[in-house]
Structure formats: C-alpha cells, structure tokens
Amino acid sequence: MKRLALASAISVLAMPALASDITVGFAIAQSGWLEAYDTPAATAAKIRIDEINANGGLLGRQIKWVEADTKTDRQQSARAGLQVIDEGADMMVVSCDYDFGAPAALSAETEGMVSFFLCAEDVKAGIQGVGPHSFSGSVLAAVQGATMAEWSHAKREARTGYVLLDTTIEYNKGICTGFDWMFPQLDGTEIVGRDTFKNDDASIASQITRIKALPEEPDVIMLCSYIPGAASAVRQIRAAGINSLILNGSAVDGSYWLDATPDLSGFVVPVQGSIYGDDPRPEVETFNVAYEKATGSRPASSYAYPGYVLMDLWAKAVERAGTLDGAAVTAELEKMKGENTAFGPRSFSQELHHQNAAEMQIIEITDGKPAAVDSWTISQPVPLDVLLN
C-alpha cells in the first residue's frame, strides 16, 4: 500500500505543471467620447484573440483578457493601466488617442511591458512619447495626408490645394503635415492658401470667404478634421457653392454622419480597409463578417481594423521570441518588414513603432454613398523629421 502511494506521488510530481493563461490588459475608454473609437478596435482585438485560442493558443497557452475603464480621462488612464497590471497583464492595450492612452502606456513601460495603442496615429504614441516597448496598431495621420496629396495629383489632376486645419487635436495636425510635405513635391502643384478653425466652431464663414476670394477655385481642399466639426465644415463649403474635391483623413470614414450632408459628392478619404463590402482583399470582408457575428452589426468605420492588426502582430512576435518578455518581443516586432496582415503589410524599426507608409483604400462619397474606388501606397515613406515637426 505504501509503495502504491509512493508511486502515485512520484507520478504526480513527474507531471508537467499546467501552463497558466496569458493575460492581455485592456486599459481603454469604456465610457466618454473616446469609447466610440476604443470599443470597436478592442472588439477586433478580442476577435483575433478568440481565433488564436481556437487554433491552440499562444506558446501553447490560452489568452484571456482583463479590462479597466479610463473613462476618457487622463488621470483615470494611469489608474486603469496600474489596475490591469495588478490583475496580471502580460501586455497592455491602451486607448486610440495618444493623450488619453499615454498615461496607461507609461505604466506598462515602467514594467518593461509591451503596450499597443489601439489606433493612435500620432508619432508620440510609441517610442517618441512613451518609450521603447510602445507601439501603435494604426497608420500615421501624416501618411493619410500624404496619400491624399499624391493620389489626388495622380488620379484627379490636382494642381492647386487649399489647407483647412482644425487645430483641436494633434491627429488633425498630422494629416495636414503629411499633405504639406507631399503636395509641394509633385509636379506643377501649389498650395494657394491655408486657414484654421476649431472643431466646435459654429461657423467657418470667414474661411469660406477667403477661399471664394481666390482667383480660381482650388482643385482640392485638404480638410484636416473629425466629426462633428468636419461634417459642419463640409456642409458649409458645399452650401457656399464651392465644388473643389474635399479630402480628409480616416477619422471621417463611415456613413453614420452623412445625414448632415445630404447627397454629398466629391469627398475622399484614405482607409486601411473598406467596411462597405467592396474591399479587393477577401480577408477584409471575412473580418467584417466575423465582426458582425460577434456584435450584431458590421464595423461602423475602419477604426476597428487596427485592433485586429495589433493583436495579430504581437502574437507573431511572441511566438518567434518564445517568451512574453517585453524586450524580446519588442526585438521581434522591430524585425518585421512588410509583415503580412489581413489589412496589408506592416513594418516596425528601432526608430519607429508606427507605419510611415501603407497601402490605403480610397473611399469616395458620391451622391451620398461611400464606396472604394482605388487603392494607393505613397511613393516614399514620411520621414521621421517630418513626423516630429
């Protein structure tokens, strides 16, 4: 009897310890205005987690997640970051916006932990503003502006441009930075004027007066703004009889705001993928269907996509590193050059944890209906010194 008991004890000791789950901490806005951006991207990240788990997990372990609400508040962001660390997070996902995601990301950086901004498009949401273990899952705003400059020049023969900047947030400035960098490099181009406004301005009448005072209507207006200010500006520009092609960034992707601008035409944005079922890459529509299955509706904008991308890239880096160690995973992420994802290739380096070039789908609104009309990759990456300007 004693021998049997001893044999059983030895057998138990010889069994490998069961691996614990890997924990992803979401320190994101679940309330406040930023929730509209964070929730779709976080949902997309969780869809990728579920896919990874269904295929055997990561390093042979399942991935779970914990969450803390930043309430779209900077101080609460720092507390949320500390909370998910206390709950055992092995990596951290933070809010789409740099200003509101950085306090949580800095908590991760202190721990030497990899953090990913869900969809931040300011270069500071990474090495430059947080530290060496911080990344973003999205494409820089400057790339969006540069894409609009080069595409409109090549495909719509744009030679004159007017820059209208909403100075409210850094994202808007990034879009205009990219346009200002790229457009003057192109043959026969000229920026014929520029102006500013604030997102909550009730009227941009004085700015419109200055556009109408130009000797000729500009070929394009580079409007660097977001909803609701962007919708108001577009409505006023068209009501004034200005027919220039209006360009913007990805922040105004989606049809949810078009009731404010009935029968709008000549409005173009670059996006990472089309939510409208017409993306040329079947993987994008596969994701749209998966998102609808998970939530009951298709993505309202392309800002869901970076969440899926970041989780895919992080998991690949973990598998290659063979560990969750932040430094080792960062090193693998920085080796990625043209890494394939469902939304196009992605690259990182020791100098930049963002995309300073990417294939963008071109969405044009005609008679109130958005549709993918083209795709474009800028001919040269946006230089780091431009991004830091």
Side-chain angles (χ1 to χ4, degrees):
M1 195 70 162
K2 288 182 179 178
R3 288 181 182 176
L4 181 58
L6 181 60
S8 297
I10 292 172
S11 175
V12 169
L13 289 172
M15 290 175 62
L18 293 175
S20 60
D21 291 337
I22 293 170
T23 302
V24 173
F26 287 89
I28 61 172
Q30 297 172 317
S31 55
W33 68 264
L34 194 53
E35 183 273 336
Y37 292 91
D38 283 7
T39 291
T43 298
K46 293 168 187 176
I47 288 172
R48 185 64 188 130
I49 288 174
D50 287 342
E51 292 174 350
I52 293 168
N53 285 339
N55 285 302
L58 185 59
L59 302 179
R61 299 156 63 182
Q62 293 287 285
I63 307 173
K64 68 176 185 179
W65 61 78
V66 295
E67 298 175 289
D69 185 7
T70 69
K71 302 178 182 178
T72 313
D73 179 85
R74 292 174 177 86
Q75 291 185 343
Q76 187 60 35
S77 173
R79 288 192 285 268
L82 293 172
Q83 179 180 326
V84 298
I85 290 171
D86 288 343
E87 293 178 11
D90 295 299
M91 72 89 74
M92 191 183 299
V93 178
V94 304
S95 281
C96 275
D97 181 78
Y98 166 72
D99 291 326
F100 292 91
L106 286 165
S107 300
E109 191 65 35
T110 300
E111 299 292 320
M113 180 189 299
V114 171
S115 66
F116 263 93
F117 286 80
L118 279 168
C119 53
E121 294 166 351
D122 181 339
V123 70
K124 294 190 295 295
I127 299 171
Q128 286 72 22
V130 176
H133 303 98
S134 180
F135 295 78
S136 176
S138 199
V139 175
L140 285 161
V143 175
Q144 299 168 30
T147 298
M148 288 289 84
E150 198 170 56
W151 176 84
S152 64
H153 177 269
K155 296 301 184 76
R156 299 298 169 86
E157 300 183 350
R159 297 298 181 267
T160 57
Y162 195 96
V163 177
L164 186 54
L165 168 63
D166 170 359
T167 59
T168 308
I169 61 173
E170 291 298 315
Y171 165 80
N172 300 335
K173 298 172 187 176
I175 302 170
C176 279
T177 293
F179 185 87
D180 285 339
W181 167 72
M182 177 64 82
F183 198 68
Q185 299 183 57
L186 306 173
D187 291 339
T189 57
E190 181 184 4
I191 294 177
V192 295
R194 59 181 67 245
D195 223 324
T196 63
F197 70 107
K198 291 283 190 182
N199 197 266
D200 59 358
D201 285 350
S203 170
I204 59 165
S206 59
Q207 293 89 336
I208 287 173
T209 296
R210 287 188 281 273
I211 295 173
K212 291 180 72 69
L214 292 169
E216 293 184 359
E217 189 173 272
D219 295 328
V220 294
I221 295 173
M222 184 69 247
L223 174 63
C224 307
S225 186
Y226 63 100
I227 302 301
S232 175
V234 169
R235 183 174 62 251
Q236 293 177 66
I237 289 167
R238 287 293 186 252
I242 299 171
N243 296 311
S244 305
L245 188 68
I246 303 175
L247 314 173
N248 208 320
S250 302
V252 291
D253 181 34
S255 59
Y256 61 93
W257 59 276
L258 292 179
D259 286 347
T261 54
D263 302 318
L264 175 64
S265 290
F267 185 88
V268 184
V269 297
V271 297
Q272 295 175 58
S274 175
I275 63 175
Y276 306 107
D278 53 5
D279 196 291
R281 301 161 297 185
E283 299 91 340
V284 174
E285 186 58 20
T286 297
F287 170 82
N288 290 337
V289 172
Y291 188 94
E292 184 174 18
K293 182 178 180 181
T295 67
S297 60
R298 292 170 65 87
S301 84
S302 57
Y303 272 91
Y305 300 151
Y308 188 91
V309 170
L310 77 85
M311 196 53 60
D312 185 47
L313 295 175
W314 175 75
K316 288 177 179 177
V318 168
E319 287 286 2
R320 292 168 190 174
T323 176
L324 295 165
D325 175 73
V329 174
T330 293
E332 291 298 328
L333 285 164
E334 289 176 345
K335 293 176 186 176
M336 292 181 174
K337 300 293 181 283
E339 187 74 31
N340 186 50
T341 79
F343 301 94
R346 298 290 183 263
S347 302
F348 298 115
S349 70
Q350 293 181 350
E351 292 76 35
L352 189 64
H353 289 177
H354 281 267
Q355 307 307 304
N356 62 347
E359 178 186 358
M360 304 296 285
Q361 303 303 308
I362 308 301
I363 304 297
E364 182 167 7
I365 297 172
T366 304
D367 296 329
K369 294 181 173 56
V373 297
D374 206 348
S375 63
W376 194 264
T377 304
I378 52 177
S379 57
Q380 55 180 315
V382 183
L384 186 58
D385 63 335
V386 172
L387 297 171
L388 293 173
N389 187 3

